[in-house]
Amino acid sequence: MRVLIEIYESILLALKAVWSNKVRSFLTTLSVVVGVSFVTLMGWILQGLDNALEETLSMFGQDVVHVDRWDWTNQTDWRELIKRKPLRLKHFKELEPKLDFAQYAYPSTRNNGATIKRLDRAIKDAMVIGTTDEAAFGLASNMESGRFFSSVEAQHASPVAVIGSLVAEHLFPEGAPLGKRIKYKGRNYTVIGVLSSRATLIMDFVDKEVYIPMKSFVNQNGKTQILITVKGLPHLTQEQTSDELIGAMRSVRNLSPGSKEDFSVNSSEALAEMFDEFRIVVWGVGLILTGLSFFVGVVGITNIMFVSVTERKREIGVRKALGARRRSIILQFLTEAVVLCIIGAFMSLALCSAIVYFAVTQFELTFAPPHIPPFWAFAAIATASIFGVLSGLIPAMSGARISPIEALRYE
Amino acid sequence: MSAVISINEVGKRYIMGTQKVYALRTVTLDIEENEYVAIMGPSGSGKSTLMNLIGCLDTPTKGEYLFKGESVGKMNDNQLAEIRNREIGFVFQTFNLLPRYSSLKNVELPLVYSGVPGSERQRRAQEALDHVGLGDRVHHKPNELSGGQRQRVAIARALVTKPSIILADEPTGNLDTKTGYEIMALFAELHRGGNTIILVTHEPDIAEYAHRIIRLRDGRIESDEVNANPRQPEAELAAQ
Ligand SMILES: Nc1ncnc2c1ncn2[C@@H]1O[C@H](COP(=O)(O)OP(=O)(O)OP(=O)(O)O)[C@@H](O)[C@H]1O
Ligand SMILES: [Mg+2]
């Protein structure tokens, strides 16, 4: 009971002391603001990274690897990338016989922002994908109704389409799209399958996909660059599949041993690894900056608290004469340091919220949360309290040790 | 009746560098409940040192001090703080009020340290301020009060825990003569109400209010006499 009363009084007193030295308190808190801001922003960046990772991984699909002209992990120099030969359908045809390690493999090419019409209705941001019947394996669990096109249909460039759930909703509000016609670039396609919704918060575009046979796509759009998706046999790891695929692709491209690949094999694992490395860098930089600013901050606040203790030596004497124990004096100065730091934490949270909001809205960082994650806001306040205790403890103890007569004699 | 304060061959020695300073050489002294004692003596004779020992702000380097029969020399910091909080009320020459606090908050302070909850604390602080005639100045800060009023707040603060003794070191030292007499009238009243009062002064006419006068010189008691005919501050104030 007595301790609770003392804590309560200490908080009131600390607020009073902080308020009566506004300028000094403000300057002192700056170091806390900097330190806590590092913690908070680091948390926000990590959260954004996780979201970006999740988004990208789900784009990869489960357990498949992709051969592409582009390196999805940004680990290859762009000057090298633009020199690479495009990946064409003929490469896939040459690769196919060598894929004895694959469960299935298919080429694909896409036309983003395509307009699909049906009677007087249209959807303007559909994504038309040309591929082969083997793509059905990857989508097997997502067929809502109908079927995927067959190898025969793929061979003959049949005018058939499998549409995403949003496309179906838009073009067929009355339902039952199977067997009906849609129009892509002036050509009619018969809907033979509808996919179920696969959209996540960040990835709503997947429901706007329209799959048509590769040959039909090429007939309409001409020669295109492709992406080759390969699923390894069940006993192979992603890495083993990637290695096999690299070997097969090298022979397709006639690369001499030791020369660099002029294609990339992208796997979700490699990407996740890259993200992990990046995350470690963010953590490392964040921790070093936080540590440095904390060190500076703790030294600064310790100093200010020493000044505060000396200034109030007489007050300490009076309090001791009136019956304050050492504990009470320590509590008083510790509370003051902690209150100071927590005020700093709140200032920092306000600042970071503004920064984050500005960054997200101005630079359209869709994957980053537009606010400080609650866990990190809590972590910021907790760190600030630790900060306060660390920097207040030594001055508080030295203040509490002063003998009452010495303190009372202090002019 | 046994003495509240029993000091037996007590001394206090300070060590300053290599030098020993005998602030108090040897003092033996008993003070009973409801006594009114003045301690006099020239500057440096050890008056404040004796007061600090009596008030448990410091412990003797020799001899034995029994407060209500208990040896102060054997107490730890917390026990000393406890005694100061419950049993002793201090009044200082320079008032020593906390400048940021209102009168009420200043008077509440000792009760904070004895763990009295807020509303009870306020009630008792108000009562103590009423007692010293400052019931209408509760929300004033020290710098909004006159010297005499500040000393009254300090006395209210000394009284609020209902201590057994009041220790006052030069309580009128910073006040003009008339205000000083008013403070002495307050002490006289507290004494009549049953309080034990010990006050330090080097002004003989202030010491004359006490019922017993102890004179110190060079850290020893020079004389210890009963004042058979103490001055009556109320009568004097009325006569003016
Ligand atoms: N903390 C200390 N350290 C060293 N010497 C001290 C200390 N406190 C007191 N003294 C010395 O002890 C002696 C007695 O001091 P004390 O303050 O008790 O005198 P006093 O009678 O109260 O004098 P005054 O009337 O001036 O207040 C002085 O010589 C003083 O210098
Ligand atoms: Mg003195």
Side-chain angles (χ1 to χ4, degrees), chain A residues 309-351:
Chain A
V309 166
T310 311
E311 269 179 0
R312 277 147 62 193
K313 217 165 171 179
R314 213 183 164 84
E315 177 186 322
I316 294 174
V318 174
R319 288 174 181 276
K320 284 200 154 187
L322 299 180
R325 296 155 179 236
R326 279 189 190 189
R327 190 187 67 195
S328 318
I329 306 289
I330 292 177
L331 191 67
Q332 181 191 331
F333 285 101
L334 219 49
T335 312
E336 192 174 317
V338 171
V339 163
L340 208 56
C341 290
I342 289 181
I343 290 175
F346 278 109
M347 279 166 46
S348 155
L349 284 181
L351 180 73

Side-chain angles (χ1 to χ4, degrees), chain A residues 9-239:
Chain A
E9 291 294 318
S10 299
I11 292 173
L12 288 188
L13 180 70
L15 287 172
K16 223 173 217 175
V18 168
W19 185 245
S20 66
N21 287 308
K22 281 182 277 297
V23 176
R24 192 171 80 188
S25 302
F26 176 72
L27 292 176
T28 313
T29 2
L30 279 187
S31 60
V32 185
V33 172
V34 172
V36 171
S37 297
F38 278 131
V39 175
T40 322
L41 289 180
M42 186 173 78
W44 174 67
I45 290 172
L46 285 173
Q47 181 80 60
L49 271 181
D50 281 347
N51 292 353
L53 177 67
E54 190 191 333
E55 178 176 11
T56 322
L57 286 186
S58 55
M59 237 153 67
F60 267 75
Q62 332 84 328
D63 247 5
V64 289
V65 293
H66 307 268
V67 187
D68 194 1
R69 173 182 180 180
W70 312 109
D71 180 356
W72 297 5
T73 61
N74 275 335
Q75 276 166 327
T76 314
D77 189 26
W78 64 271
R79 272 163 299 203
E80 201 189 314
L81 287 176
I82 54 170
K83 273 189 283 179
R84 285 179 171 179
K85 281 187 289 180
L87 197 60
R88 303 272 185 213
L89 213 46
K90 63 169 185 192
H91 296 121
F92 177 70
K93 290 198 177 116
E94 287 171 44
L95 181 67
E96 228 181 345
K98 304 179 200 290
L99 295 177
D100 50 1
F101 57 89
Q103 221 169 289
Y104 60 82
Y106 58 88
S108 64
T109 182
R110 51 186 65 207
N111 173 13
N112 291 329
T115 301
I116 305 290
K117 290 182 187 154
R118 185 235 164 188
L119 303 177
D120 56 339
R121 307 186 70 87
I123 178 165
K124 289 205 171 69
D125 52 351
M127 190 188 295
V128 176
I129 299 170
T131 185
T132 66
D133 51 293
E134 295 214 5
F137 293 111
L139 294 165
S141 58
N142 297 303
M143 290 304 295
E144 172 91 18
S145 61
R147 59 176 179 90
F148 210 75
F149 44 82
S150 67
S151 63
V152 177
E153 282 163 329
Q155 286 297 319
H156 291 92
S158 301
V160 290
V162 175
I163 60 176
S165 63
L166 263 180
V167 179
E169 260 171 51
H170 265 276
L171 300 182
F172 301 94
E174 78 280 10
L178 292 182
K180 293 181 179 151
R181 293 220 176 119
I182 55 172
K183 204 174 244 181
Y184 166 54
K185 287 192 177 170
R187 207 179 154 194
N188 281 322
Y189 284 84
T190 307
V191 177
I192 57 165
V194 179
L195 297 168
S196 56
S197 174
R198 289 175 294 148
T200 62
L201 193 64
I202 327 159
M203 301 230 326
D204 54 349
F205 57 86
V206 292
D207 285 343
K208 293 180 185 165
E209 289 174 339
V210 174
Y211 290 86
I212 59 173
M214 182 60 118
K215 279 191 176 163
S216 314
F217 189 97
V218 174
N219 287 344
Q220 279 189 283
N221 294 305
K223 205 161 93 166
T224 62
Q225 299 196 36
I226 58 156
L227 171 76
I228 299 169
T229 304
V230 177
K231 164 93 171 172
L233 288 172
H235 65 275
L236 294 176
T237 64
Q238 245 189 47
E239 205 182 335

Side-chain angles (χ1 to χ4, degrees), chain B residues 115-134:
Chain B
V116 177
S119 52
E120 161 90 2
R121 220 157 60 206
Q122 265 180 28
R123 190 184 58 72
R124 283 169 65 177
Q126 175 74 51
E127 206 176 87
L129 281 166
D130 287 342
H131 194 153
V132 299
L134 282 180

